[in-house]
Amino acid sequence: MKGSAIRLRGLRKEFGGTTAVAGVDLDISDGEFFSMLGPSGSGKTTVLRMIAGFESPSSGTVELGGQDVTGLAPFERDVHTVFQDYALFPHMTVEQNVAYGLKVRKVAKVERLSRAREALAGVRLESFGKRRPAQLSGGQRQRVALARALVGRPGCCCSTSRSAPSTSSCASRCRSNSRRSSGRSGSPSCSSPTTRRRP
């Protein structure tokens, strides 16, 4: 893909009389890992929610792969999101959690299990596939959520996790595995870790 994989132009979001995002212009290249840094309440997560389609901008545009997706619903965009609470299904195994999106998309069982195991290997959890989320540490659950987001080989992956910087190397490994198996270039990743001002 040539040019920007993600392009924001004049992106603005207002809640009542409060301006949460004031005219963001941003280009993110294909395969790039991009983090927005800033204090809590500075609009980082709101920007990611607008990229993913969970919030509609008050003005401005969101383009993914050269297509204006500003008016499209989340399920119509090629974006996967790692939520702050990870949103794992407690009754499913780790492997089933990672493969769930592929099952919904009716990918054949053999292929989806193969891709789920490949994604788990990418985040170094290949031996944890039969465990339940409750049997994992917080960091391990985060990596499972990341593997689940990337196993579908999305055009863009967004993370709203407070510990998002620690996912960069895992995301890189997952994208490398995906490139080897699919022949595609890596999808861009963007995150919004929270930084705190020193007193």
Side-chain angles (χ1 to χ4, degrees):
M1 181 186 299
K2 296 182 179 179
S4 300
I6 302 171
R7 173 172 289 173
L8 310 181
R9 288 294 178 267
L11 202 64
R12 185 178 184 88
K13 181 65 180 180
E14 297 177 355
F15 295 98
T18 302
T19 300
V21 177
V24 172
D25 293 309
L26 178 66
D27 290 275
I28 302 175
S29 301
D30 200 32
E32 182 176 359
F33 187 90
F34 181 88
S35 291
M36 288 178 282
L37 302 177
S40 180
S42 61
K44 306 178 303 297
T45 297
T46 303
V47 170
L48 293 188
R49 289 178 61 83
M50 287 190 283
I51 293 173
F54 297 114
E55 293 283 356
S56 297
S58 301
S59 61
T61 59
V62 177
E63 293 182 18
L64 300 177
Q67 178 188 4
D68 187 341
V69 299
T70 310
L72 298 184
F75 66 87
E76 297 175 301
R77 305 183 187 202
D78 193 14
V79 177
H80 290 192
T81 303
V82 181
F83 294 100
Q84 191 163 309
D85 63 1
Y86 310 139
L88 300 178
F89 297 111
H91 63 286
M92 292 184 181
T93 66
V94 165
E95 188 176 90
Q96 289 170 336
N97 264 282
V98 173
Y100 181 75
L102 300 178
K103 182 178 181 180
V104 170
R105 290 162 55 186
K106 302 189 184 304
V107 174
K109 184 176 181 179
V110 172
E111 181 183 351
R112 69 173 182 258
L113 290 179
S114 173
R115 284 169 59 177
R117 289 164 185 161
E118 178 185 89
L120 286 172
V123 296
R124 298 180 179 172
L125 288 176
E126 56 266 46
S127 62
F128 290 75
K130 302 305 179 186
R131 296 192 188 186
R132 307 279 181 181
Q135 297 173 298
L136 305 179
S137 69
Q140 289 168 338
R141 288 195 294 273
Q142 179 191 37
R143 285 151 60 195
V144 172
L146 177 65
R148 184 176 62 182
L150 293 174
V151 73
R153 300 167 185 160
C156 170
C157 181
C158 294
S159 172
T160 61
S161 168
R162 292 184 185 274
S163 52
S166 68
T167 69
S168 61
S169 61
C170 289
S172 178
R173 285 195 298 272
C174 283
R175 288 196 301 268
S176 294
N177 288 344
S178 179
R179 283 196 294 269
R180 283 195 297 270
S181 61
S182 69
R184 289 181 48 178
S185 59
S187 56
S189 300
C190 26
S191 64
S192 64
T194 297
T195 58
R196 297 182 179 178
R197 299 181 190 272
R198 292 183 180 178

Short mmCIF file of all heavy atoms in Angstrom, two decimals, residues 99-116 151-153:
data_model
loop_
_atom_site.label_atom_id
_atom_site.label_comp_id
_atom_site.label_asym_id
_atom_site.label_seq_id
_atom_site.Cartn_x
_atom_site.Cartn_y
_atom_site.Cartn_z
N ALA A 99 -9.20 -17.58 18.40
CA ALA A 99 -9.81 -18.05 17.15
C ALA A 99 -11.25 -17.60 16.97
O ALA A 99 -11.82 -17.77 15.88
CB ALA A 99 -9.76 -19.58 17.10
N TYR A 100 -11.85 -16.97 17.99
CA TYR A 100 -13.28 -16.68 17.95
C TYR A 100 -13.70 -15.82 16.76
O TYR A 100 -14.68 -16.12 16.07
CB TYR A 100 -13.72 -16.01 19.26
CG TYR A 100 -15.20 -15.71 19.28
CD1 TYR A 100 -16.13 -16.73 19.48
CD2 TYR A 100 -15.68 -14.42 19.08
CE1 TYR A 100 -17.49 -16.48 19.49
CE2 TYR A 100 -17.04 -14.16 19.09
CZ TYR A 100 -17.94 -15.18 19.29
OH TYR A 100 -19.28 -14.93 19.30
N GLY A 101 -12.95 -14.75 16.50
CA GLY A 101 -13.31 -13.87 15.38
C GLY A 101 -13.27 -14.59 14.05
O GLY A 101 -14.09 -14.34 13.16
N LEU A 102 -12.31 -15.52 13.90
CA LEU A 102 -12.23 -16.31 12.66
C LEU A 102 -13.41 -17.25 12.54
O LEU A 102 -13.92 -17.49 11.44
CB LEU A 102 -10.91 -17.09 12.64
CG LEU A 102 -9.63 -16.27 12.70
CD1 LEU A 102 -8.41 -17.20 12.72
CD2 LEU A 102 -9.54 -15.30 11.52
N LYS A 103 -13.87 -17.77 13.69
CA LYS A 103 -15.04 -18.66 13.68
C LYS A 103 -16.28 -17.89 13.22
O LYS A 103 -17.07 -18.39 12.41
CB LYS A 103 -15.27 -19.25 15.07
CG LYS A 103 -16.44 -20.22 15.15
CD LYS A 103 -16.57 -20.81 16.54
CE LYS A 103 -17.73 -21.80 16.62
NZ LYS A 103 -17.86 -22.39 17.99
N VAL A 104 -16.44 -16.66 13.74
CA VAL A 104 -17.58 -15.82 13.35
C VAL A 104 -17.55 -15.55 11.85
O VAL A 104 -18.59 -15.50 11.18
CB VAL A 104 -17.58 -14.50 14.14
CG1 VAL A 104 -18.60 -13.51 13.58
CG2 VAL A 104 -17.85 -14.77 15.62
N ARG A 105 -16.33 -15.39 11.32
CA ARG A 105 -16.17 -15.14 9.88
C ARG A 105 -16.22 -16.42 9.05
O ARG A 105 -15.98 -16.41 7.85
CB ARG A 105 -14.85 -14.40 9.64
CG ARG A 105 -14.89 -12.97 10.15
CD ARG A 105 -13.52 -12.37 10.32
NE ARG A 105 -12.72 -12.43 9.11
CZ ARG A 105 -11.44 -12.06 9.06
NH1 ARG A 105 -10.84 -11.63 10.15
NH2 ARG A 105 -10.79 -12.12 7.93
N LYS A 106 -16.51 -17.53 9.73
CA LYS A 106 -16.69 -18.84 9.09
C LYS A 106 -15.42 -19.35 8.40
O LYS A 106 -15.48 -20.01 7.36
CB LYS A 106 -17.87 -18.82 8.11
CG LYS A 106 -19.19 -18.42 8.77
CD LYS A 106 -20.36 -18.61 7.84
CE LYS A 106 -21.67 -18.12 8.48
NZ LYS A 106 -21.95 -18.78 9.77
N VAL A 107 -14.26 -19.03 8.99
CA VAL A 107 -13.01 -19.62 8.52
C VAL A 107 -13.00 -21.10 8.93
O VAL A 107 -13.44 -21.44 10.04
CB VAL A 107 -11.80 -18.88 9.15
CG1 VAL A 107 -10.49 -19.58 8.79
CG2 VAL A 107 -11.78 -17.43 8.69
N ALA A 108 -12.53 -21.95 8.06
CA ALA A 108 -12.51 -23.39 8.34
C ALA A 108 -11.76 -23.69 9.63
O ALA A 108 -10.77 -23.02 9.95
CB ALA A 108 -11.87 -24.14 7.17
N LYS A 109 -12.22 -24.69 10.36
CA LYS A 109 -11.68 -24.99 11.69
C LYS A 109 -10.18 -25.24 11.67
O LYS A 109 -9.44 -24.74 12.52
CB LYS A 109 -12.40 -26.21 12.29
CG LYS A 109 -11.96 -26.52 13.71
CD LYS A 109 -12.77 -27.67 14.30
CE LYS A 109 -12.34 -27.95 15.73
NZ LYS A 109 -13.14 -29.06 16.33
N VAL A 110 -9.71 -26.03 10.72
CA VAL A 110 -8.28 -26.35 10.66
C VAL A 110 -7.46 -25.08 10.48
O VAL A 110 -6.45 -24.87 11.16
CB VAL A 110 -7.99 -27.35 9.51
CG1 VAL A 110 -6.49 -27.52 9.33
CG2 VAL A 110 -8.63 -28.70 9.81
N GLU A 111 -7.92 -24.19 9.59
CA GLU A 111 -7.18 -22.96 9.34
C GLU A 111 -7.23 -22.03 10.54
O GLU A 111 -6.22 -21.44 10.91
CB GLU A 111 -7.73 -22.23 8.11
CG GLU A 111 -6.96 -20.94 7.82
CD GLU A 111 -7.51 -20.15 6.64
OE1 GLU A 111 -8.40 -20.67 5.94
OE2 GLU A 111 -7.05 -19.01 6.45
N ARG A 112 -8.40 -21.88 11.16
CA ARG A 112 -8.49 -20.93 12.27
C ARG A 112 -7.67 -21.38 13.48
O ARG A 112 -7.07 -20.58 14.17
CB ARG A 112 -9.94 -20.64 12.64
CG ARG A 112 -10.73 -21.73 13.28
CD ARG A 112 -12.10 -21.21 13.73
NE ARG A 112 -12.90 -22.21 14.39
CZ ARG A 112 -13.91 -22.87 13.84
NH1 ARG A 112 -14.24 -22.63 12.57
NH2 ARG A 112 -14.58 -23.78 14.51
N LEU A 113 -7.63 -22.70 13.72
CA LEU A 113 -6.81 -23.19 14.83
C LEU A 113 -5.32 -23.01 14.53
O LEU A 113 -4.54 -22.64 15.40
CB LEU A 113 -7.13 -24.66 15.11
CG LEU A 113 -8.50 -24.93 15.74
CD1 LEU A 113 -8.70 -26.42 15.95
CD2 LEU A 113 -8.67 -24.18 17.06
N SER A 114 -4.96 -23.22 13.26
CA SER A 114 -3.56 -23.03 12.86
C SER A 114 -3.15 -21.57 13.04
O SER A 114 -2.09 -21.25 13.57
CB SER A 114 -3.38 -23.46 11.42
OG SER A 114 -2.09 -23.15 10.95
N ARG A 115 -4.03 -20.67 12.61
CA ARG A 115 -3.73 -19.24 12.72
C ARG A 115 -3.74 -18.78 14.17
O ARG A 115 -2.94 -17.91 14.57
CB ARG A 115 -4.71 -18.44 11.87
CG ARG A 115 -4.38 -18.54 10.38
CD ARG A 115 -5.47 -17.98 9.50
NE ARG A 115 -5.75 -16.56 9.75
CZ ARG A 115 -6.63 -15.87 9.03
NH1 ARG A 115 -7.27 -16.43 8.02
NH2 ARG A 115 -6.85 -14.60 9.30
N ALA A 116 -4.63 -19.34 14.99
CA ALA A 116 -4.66 -18.99 16.41
C ALA A 116 -3.37 -19.42 17.10
O ALA A 116 -2.80 -18.67 17.89
CB ALA A 116 -5.87 -19.65 17.08
N VAL A 151 -4.91 -11.78 14.74
CA VAL A 151 -5.05 -13.06 14.03
C VAL A 151 -5.88 -12.91 12.76
O VAL A 151 -5.70 -13.64 11.79
CB VAL A 151 -5.66 -14.14 14.96
CG1 VAL A 151 -7.14 -13.90 15.20
CG2 VAL A 151 -5.42 -15.54 14.40
N GLY A 152 -6.77 -11.91 12.74
CA GLY A 152 -7.59 -11.69 11.56
C GLY A 152 -6.90 -10.89 10.47
O GLY A 152 -7.50 -10.60 9.45
N ARG A 153 -5.62 -10.53 10.72
CA ARG A 153 -4.82 -9.75 9.77
C ARG A 153 -5.55 -8.46 9.36
O ARG A 153 -5.83 -8.25 8.17
CB ARG A 153 -4.47 -10.60 8.55
CG ARG A 153 -3.65 -11.83 8.94
CD ARG A 153 -3.56 -12.85 7.82
NE ARG A 153 -2.87 -14.06 8.27
CZ ARG A 153 -2.96 -15.24 7.68
NH1 ARG A 153 -3.71 -15.38 6.60
NH2 ARG A 153 -2.31 -16.27 8.15
#
